[in-house]
Amino acid sequence: MASVLLVEDDASLREVLAMFLRKQGHEVAVASSFEEGLSLVNDASFDLVLTDLKLGQKSGLDILSHVKREQPETEVIVITAYSTVETAIEAMKGGAFDYVGKPFKLEEIAVTIEKALEKRALSLENITLRRALLERYRFDQIIGKTPKMQQIFETIARVAPTKTSVLITGESGTGKELVARAIHFNSARKTGPFVVVNCAAIPDTLMESELFGHVKGAFTGAHTSKRGLLETANGGTVFLDEIGELSLAMQVKLLRFLQEHTIRAVGSTKEVKVDVRVVAATNKDLVEAVRAQRFREDLFYRLNVVHINMPPLRERREDIPYLASHFLEKFRKELSKDVRGFAPDVMERLMSWNYKGNVRELENIIEHAVTFATGPLVTMDALPEHLKGEKASPLSAIDQVTKVEKDGVDMESVLAEVERRLLVNALSQAKGVKKDAAALLNISFRSFRYKLAKYGLAPTPTSEELEQDE
Ligand SMILES: Nc1ncnc2c1ncn2[C@@H]1O[C@H](COP(=O)(O)OP(=O)(O)OP(=O)(O)O)[C@@H](O)[C@H]1O
Ligand SMILES: [Mg+2]
């Protein structure tokens, strides 16, 4: 059941329509003039407004613009006896859901009404989602409804006020840096600095001086003395991103810092006490790195006092609608576009996508969708090309083949099998003509024949044969 306002100055049509709508179970308010219509819109909110285009001297388009201003989520259908292209375009531009030309069959308008109400229900759902997410399902800037995320929020809340070191692990784009910031900004140090050190971006030769600083003349090129990042972070938090990339030599120095809370600039003999909280992150398997002796075990334990593992987005799909709504809100403001929700098939696709790039990928998809959206709902054609159409199956063939299981895969044999099958398929496509098969694979005939031989699909070509191909 929906609340419908009907604005129609033709008494008989008004009665027929009102009766029909009531029979369908809707609650119907009727207005017989433009003025009456406006005052009803001011007094109550409706799910749907049906308005005649010509209301005495006044225009239903003004009802439309009034409704869209006062109750933007309300859908409007314009009824017109003068169904010109111009008025239709004007109505749609004004935000009408649709327009219906007189005379019409009741079944016809019933379908349009149903569609309009569906859309209305959907945008309401989007609004409810957004409200829920503003209240319950977020911690600072971090969105998450699933138990896994709620648990992470709890850990953050508990660990933030302490000075404990935290190690955050997880695939790229899962929100590690976001969590590090939340830890800092929910601690007593929040007014202190939050300093990010990307261990992968700083060359190893510069790392020590970046972290600990150096004095003038400490090495060639050190024309002035420079304060290190750990000292800059004094009183705050240092976020050591991609900690797995730190060299063994630097690991020793960092460990010493964590134990003694002092730093010594390169070229200096003076120890300086600093008060810094350390949060580290990595998308590498540090336990494995410890086993392979690429990462010091003692440092690992120092950093890993509290461990937060960010689950990949595909393992918490129920968060997707909330994240999507959050990003929709973000980009609709940034791009000043009046997009309010997602069409059902779009949400379905978003829910089933595999997100190798996790939340970052979803964020990029929504930015693209908002940029290309043409109406109040994001529709399929606004999605990035690779998400459209059949190909977007969540576990495509290539994903299956390239999946790395817990106990590992033998990459060489997987690649060899892929190559072998491509050769066989190309040969069959080319009806056994090798030159054509090579062309299908976009490789030289020579290399094709060599590969055939490699997989035992043809005798090894003689060196003479190979020369002939040149
Ligand atoms: N739960 C979340 N809620 C809202 N936004 C999120 C969430 N998780 C990630 N994001 C957003 O996704 C993007 C990537 O997050 P972030 O940079 O924290 O990931 P990361 O794990 O550090 O990735 P990388 O390993 O590639 O550095 C950011 O724009 C961040 O704001
Ligand atoms: Mg990061």
CSV table of all heavy atoms in Angstrom, one decimal, residues 159-195:
chain,number,residue,atom,x,y,z
A,159,VAL,N,42.1,-1.2,22.1
A,159,VAL,CA,43.6,-1.0,22.1
A,159,VAL,C,44.0,0.5,21.9
A,159,VAL,O,45.1,0.9,22.3
A,159,VAL,CB,44.2,-1.9,20.9
A,159,VAL,CG1,44.0,-1.3,19.6
A,159,VAL,CG2,45.6,-2.2,21.2
A,160,ALA,N,43.1,1.3,21.3
A,160,ALA,CA,43.5,2.6,21.0
A,160,ALA,C,44.0,3.4,22.2
A,160,ALA,O,45.1,4.1,22.0
A,160,ALA,CB,42.3,3.4,20.3
A,161,PRO,N,43.4,3.4,23.3
A,161,PRO,CA,43.8,4.2,24.4
A,161,PRO,C,45.2,3.8,25.0
A,161,PRO,O,45.8,4.6,25.8
A,161,PRO,CB,42.7,4.1,25.5
A,161,PRO,CG,41.6,3.4,24.8
A,161,PRO,CD,42.2,2.6,23.7
A,162,THR,N,45.7,2.6,24.7
A,162,THR,CA,46.9,2.1,25.2
A,162,THR,C,48.1,2.5,24.3
A,162,THR,O,47.9,3.2,23.3
A,162,THR,CB,46.9,0.6,25.3
A,162,THR,OG1,46.9,0.1,24.0
A,162,THR,CG2,45.6,0.1,26.0
A,163,LYS,N,49.3,2.1,24.7
A,163,LYS,CA,50.4,2.4,23.9
A,163,LYS,C,50.9,1.2,23.1
A,163,LYS,O,52.0,1.2,22.5
A,163,LYS,CB,51.6,3.0,24.7
A,163,LYS,CG,52.5,3.9,23.9
A,163,LYS,CD,53.7,4.3,24.7
A,163,LYS,CE,54.8,4.7,23.7
A,163,LYS,NZ,56.1,5.0,24.3
A,164,THR,N,50.1,0.1,23.3
A,164,THR,CA,50.5,-1.2,22.7
A,164,THR,C,50.8,-1.1,21.2
A,164,THR,O,50.1,-0.4,20.4
A,164,THR,CB,49.3,-2.1,22.9
A,164,THR,OG1,48.9,-2.1,24.2
A,164,THR,CG2,49.7,-3.6,22.5
A,165,SER,N,51.8,-1.8,20.7
A,165,SER,CA,52.0,-1.9,19.3
A,165,SER,C,51.0,-2.8,18.6
A,165,SER,O,50.5,-3.8,19.2
A,165,SER,CB,53.4,-2.6,19.0
A,165,SER,OG,54.4,-1.8,19.6
A,166,VAL,N,50.6,-2.4,17.4
A,166,VAL,CA,49.5,-3.1,16.7
A,166,VAL,C,50.1,-3.5,15.3
A,166,VAL,O,50.7,-2.7,14.7
A,166,VAL,CB,48.3,-2.3,16.6
A,166,VAL,CG1,47.2,-3.1,15.9
A,166,VAL,CG2,47.8,-1.8,17.9
A,167,LEU,N,49.8,-4.8,15.0
A,167,LEU,CA,50.2,-5.2,13.6
A,167,LEU,C,48.9,-5.4,12.8
A,167,LEU,O,48.0,-6.2,13.3
A,167,LEU,CB,51.0,-6.5,13.6
A,167,LEU,CG,51.4,-7.0,12.2
A,167,LEU,CD1,52.3,-6.0,11.5
A,167,LEU,CD2,52.0,-8.4,12.4
A,168,ILE,N,48.8,-4.7,11.7
A,168,ILE,CA,47.6,-4.9,10.9
A,168,ILE,C,47.9,-5.6,9.6
A,168,ILE,O,48.8,-5.2,8.9
A,168,ILE,CB,46.9,-3.5,10.5
A,168,ILE,CG1,46.8,-2.7,11.8
A,168,ILE,CG2,45.6,-3.7,9.8
A,168,ILE,CD1,46.5,-1.2,11.5
A,169,THR,N,47.3,-6.7,9.4
A,169,THR,CA,47.6,-7.5,8.1
A,169,THR,C,46.3,-7.5,7.3
A,169,THR,O,45.2,-7.3,7.7
A,169,THR,CB,48.0,-8.9,8.5
A,169,THR,OG1,47.0,-9.5,9.2
A,169,THR,CG2,49.3,-9.0,9.2
A,170,GLY,N,46.5,-7.9,6.0
A,170,GLY,CA,45.4,-8.0,5.1
A,170,GLY,C,45.8,-7.6,3.7
A,170,GLY,O,46.7,-6.9,3.5
A,171,GLU,N,45.0,-8.1,2.8
A,171,GLU,CA,45.2,-7.9,1.3
A,171,GLU,C,45.2,-6.4,1.1
A,171,GLU,O,44.6,-5.6,1.9
A,171,GLU,CB,44.1,-8.5,0.5
A,171,GLU,CG,44.2,-10.0,0.5
A,171,GLU,CD,43.1,-10.7,-0.4
A,171,GLU,OE1,42.5,-9.9,-1.2
A,171,GLU,OE2,42.9,-11.9,-0.3
A,172,SER,N,45.7,-6.0,-0.1
A,172,SER,CA,45.7,-4.6,-0.5
A,172,SER,C,44.3,-4.1,-0.6
A,172,SER,O,43.4,-4.8,-1.1
A,172,SER,CB,46.4,-4.5,-1.8
A,172,SER,OG,46.5,-3.2,-2.2
A,173,GLY,N,44.1,-2.9,-0.1
A,173,GLY,CA,42.8,-2.2,-0.2
A,173,GLY,C,41.7,-2.6,0.8
A,173,GLY,O,40.6,-2.3,0.7
A,174,THR,N,42.2,-3.4,1.9
A,174,THR,CA,41.2,-3.8,2.9
A,174,THR,C,40.9,-2.8,4.0
A,174,THR,O,40.1,-3.0,4.8
A,174,THR,CB,41.6,-5.2,3.5
A,174,THR,OG1,43.0,-5.1,3.8
A,174,THR,CG2,41.4,-6.3,2.6
A,175,GLY,N,41.7,-1.7,4.0
A,175,GLY,CA,41.5,-0.7,5.0
A,175,GLY,C,42.5,-0.6,6.1
A,175,GLY,O,42.2,-0.1,7.2
A,176,LYS,N,43.7,-1.1,5.8
A,176,LYS,CA,44.7,-1.2,6.9
A,176,LYS,C,45.1,0.2,7.4
A,176,LYS,O,45.2,0.5,8.6
A,176,LYS,CB,46.0,-1.9,6.4
A,176,LYS,CG,45.7,-3.4,6.1
A,176,LYS,CD,46.9,-4.2,5.8
A,176,LYS,CE,47.6,-3.7,4.5
A,176,LYS,NZ,46.8,-4.0,3.3
A,177,GLU,N,45.3,1.1,6.5
A,177,GLU,CA,45.7,2.4,6.9
A,177,GLU,C,44.5,3.2,7.6
A,177,GLU,O,44.8,3.9,8.6
A,177,GLU,CB,46.1,3.3,5.6
A,177,GLU,CG,46.5,4.7,6.0
A,177,GLU,CD,47.4,5.3,5.0
A,177,GLU,OE1,47.9,4.6,4.1
A,177,GLU,OE2,47.7,6.5,5.1
A,178,LEU,N,43.3,2.9,7.1
A,178,LEU,CA,42.2,3.5,7.8
A,178,LEU,C,42.1,3.0,9.3
A,178,LEU,O,41.8,3.9,10.1
A,178,LEU,CB,40.9,2.9,7.0
A,178,LEU,CG,39.7,3.8,7.0
A,178,LEU,CD1,40.1,5.2,6.4
A,178,LEU,CD2,38.7,3.1,6.1
A,179,VAL,N,42.4,1.8,9.5
A,179,VAL,CA,42.4,1.3,10.9
A,179,VAL,C,43.5,1.9,11.7
A,179,VAL,O,43.3,2.3,12.9
A,179,VAL,CB,42.5,-0.3,10.9
A,179,VAL,CG1,42.8,-0.8,12.3
A,179,VAL,CG2,41.3,-0.9,10.3
A,180,ALA,N,44.7,2.0,11.1
A,180,ALA,CA,45.8,2.7,11.8
A,180,ALA,C,45.4,4.1,12.2
A,180,ALA,O,45.7,4.5,13.4
A,180,ALA,CB,47.0,2.7,10.9
A,181,ARG,N,44.7,4.8,11.3
A,181,ARG,CA,44.3,6.2,11.7
A,181,ARG,C,43.3,6.2,12.8
A,181,ARG,O,43.3,7.0,13.7
A,181,ARG,CB,43.7,6.9,10.4
A,181,ARG,CG,44.8,7.3,9.4
A,181,ARG,CD,44.2,8.0,8.2
A,181,ARG,NE,45.2,8.1,7.2
A,181,ARG,CZ,46.1,9.0,7.1
A,181,ARG,NH1,46.0,10.0,8.0
A,181,ARG,NH2,47.0,9.0,6.2
A,182,ALA,N,42.4,5.2,12.7
A,182,ALA,CA,41.3,5.1,13.7
A,182,ALA,C,42.0,4.9,15.1
A,182,ALA,O,41.5,5.4,16.1
A,182,ALA,CB,40.3,4.1,13.4
A,183,ILE,N,43.0,4.0,15.1
A,183,ILE,CA,43.7,3.8,16.4
A,183,ILE,C,44.3,5.1,16.9
A,183,ILE,O,44.1,5.4,18.1
A,183,ILE,CB,44.8,2.7,16.2
A,183,ILE,CG1,44.1,1.3,15.9
A,183,ILE,CG2,45.7,2.6,17.4
A,183,ILE,CD1,45.1,0.2,15.5
A,184,HIS,N,45.0,5.8,16.1
A,184,HIS,CA,45.6,7.0,16.5
A,184,HIS,C,44.5,8.1,17.0
A,184,HIS,O,44.6,8.6,18.0
A,184,HIS,CB,46.4,7.6,15.4
A,184,HIS,CG,46.9,9.0,15.7
A,184,HIS,ND1,47.9,9.2,16.6
A,184,HIS,CD2,46.6,10.2,15.2
A,184,HIS,CE1,48.2,10.5,16.7
A,184,HIS,NE2,47.4,11.2,15.9
A,185,PHE,N,43.5,8.2,16.1
A,185,PHE,CA,42.5,9.3,16.4
A,185,PHE,C,41.5,9.0,17.5
A,185,PHE,O,40.7,9.8,17.9
A,185,PHE,CB,41.8,9.8,15.2
A,185,PHE,CG,42.8,10.6,14.3
A,185,PHE,CD1,43.3,10.0,13.1
A,185,PHE,CD2,43.2,11.9,14.7
A,185,PHE,CE1,44.2,10.8,12.4
A,185,PHE,CE2,44.0,12.6,13.9
A,185,PHE,CZ,44.6,12.0,12.7
A,186,ASN,N,41.6,7.7,18.1
A,186,ASN,CA,40.8,7.4,19.2
A,186,ASN,C,41.7,7.2,20.4
A,186,ASN,O,41.3,6.6,21.4
A,186,ASN,CB,40.0,6.1,18.9
A,186,ASN,CG,38.8,6.5,18.0
A,186,ASN,OD1,37.8,7.0,18.5
A,186,ASN,ND2,39.0,6.2,16.7
A,187,SER,N,42.9,7.7,20.4
A,187,SER,CA,43.8,7.6,21.5
A,187,SER,C,44.0,9.0,22.1
A,187,SER,O,43.6,10.0,21.6
A,187,SER,CB,45.1,7.0,21.1
A,187,SER,OG,45.9,8.0,20.4
A,188,ALA,N,44.6,9.0,23.3
A,188,ALA,CA,44.9,10.3,23.9
A,188,ALA,C,46.0,11.1,23.1
A,188,ALA,O,46.2,12.2,23.3
A,188,ALA,CB,45.5,10.0,25.3
A,189,ARG,N,46.6,10.4,22.2
A,189,ARG,CA,47.6,11.0,21.3
A,189,ARG,C,47.0,11.7,20.1
A,189,ARG,O,47.8,12.2,19.3
A,189,ARG,CB,48.6,10.0,20.8
A,189,ARG,CG,49.1,9.0,21.8
A,189,ARG,CD,50.0,7.9,21.2
A,189,ARG,NE,50.8,7.5,22.3
A,189,ARG,CZ,52.0,7.9,22.5
A,189,ARG,NH1,52.6,8.5,21.6
A,189,ARG,NH2,52.6,7.5,23.6
A,190,LYS,N,45.7,11.7,20.0
A,190,LYS,CA,45.1,12.2,18.8
A,190,LYS,C,45.5,13.6,18.4
A,190,LYS,O,45.5,14.0,17.2
A,190,LYS,CB,43.6,12.1,18.9
A,190,LYS,CG,42.9,12.9,19.9
A,190,LYS,CD,41.4,12.8,19.7
A,190,LYS,CE,40.7,13.4,20.9
A,190,LYS,NZ,39.9,12.5,21.7
A,191,THR,N,45.9,14.4,19.4
A,191,THR,CA,46.3,15.8,19.0
A,191,THR,C,47.8,15.8,18.6
A,191,THR,O,48.3,16.8,18.0
A,191,THR,CB,46.1,16.7,20.2
A,191,THR,OG1,46.8,16.2,21.3
A,191,THR,CG2,44.6,17.0,20.5
A,192,GLY,N,48.5,14.7,18.8
A,192,GLY,CA,49.8,14.6,18.4
A,192,GLY,C,49.9,14.1,16.9
A,192,GLY,O,48.9,13.9,16.3
A,193,PRO,N,51.1,14.1,16.3
A,193,PRO,CA,51.2,13.8,14.9
A,193,PRO,C,50.9,12.3,14.6
A,193,PRO,O,51.1,11.4,15.4
A,193,PRO,CB,52.7,14.1,14.6
A,193,PRO,CG,53.4,14.1,15.9
A,193,PRO,CD,52.4,14.4,16.9
A,194,PHE,N,50.4,12.0,13.4
A,194,PHE,CA,50.3,10.7,12.8
A,194,PHE,C,51.2,10.7,11.6
A,194,PHE,O,50.9,11.4,10.6
A,194,PHE,CB,48.8,10.4,12.4
A,194,PHE,CG,48.6,9.1,11.8
A,194,PHE,CD1,48.5,8.0,12.6
A,194,PHE,CD2,48.5,9.0,10.4
A,194,PHE,CE1,48.2,6.7,12.0
A,194,PHE,CE2,48.3,7.7,9.8
A,194,PHE,CZ,48.1,6.6,10.6
A,195,VAL,N,52.3,9.9,11.7
A,195,VAL,CA,53.3,10.0,10.7
A,195,VAL,C,53.3,8.6,9.9
A,195,VAL,O,53.4,7.6,10.5
A,195,VAL,CB,54.7,10.3,11.3
A,195,VAL,CG1,55.7,10.2,10.2
A,195,VAL,CG2,54.7,11.6,11.9
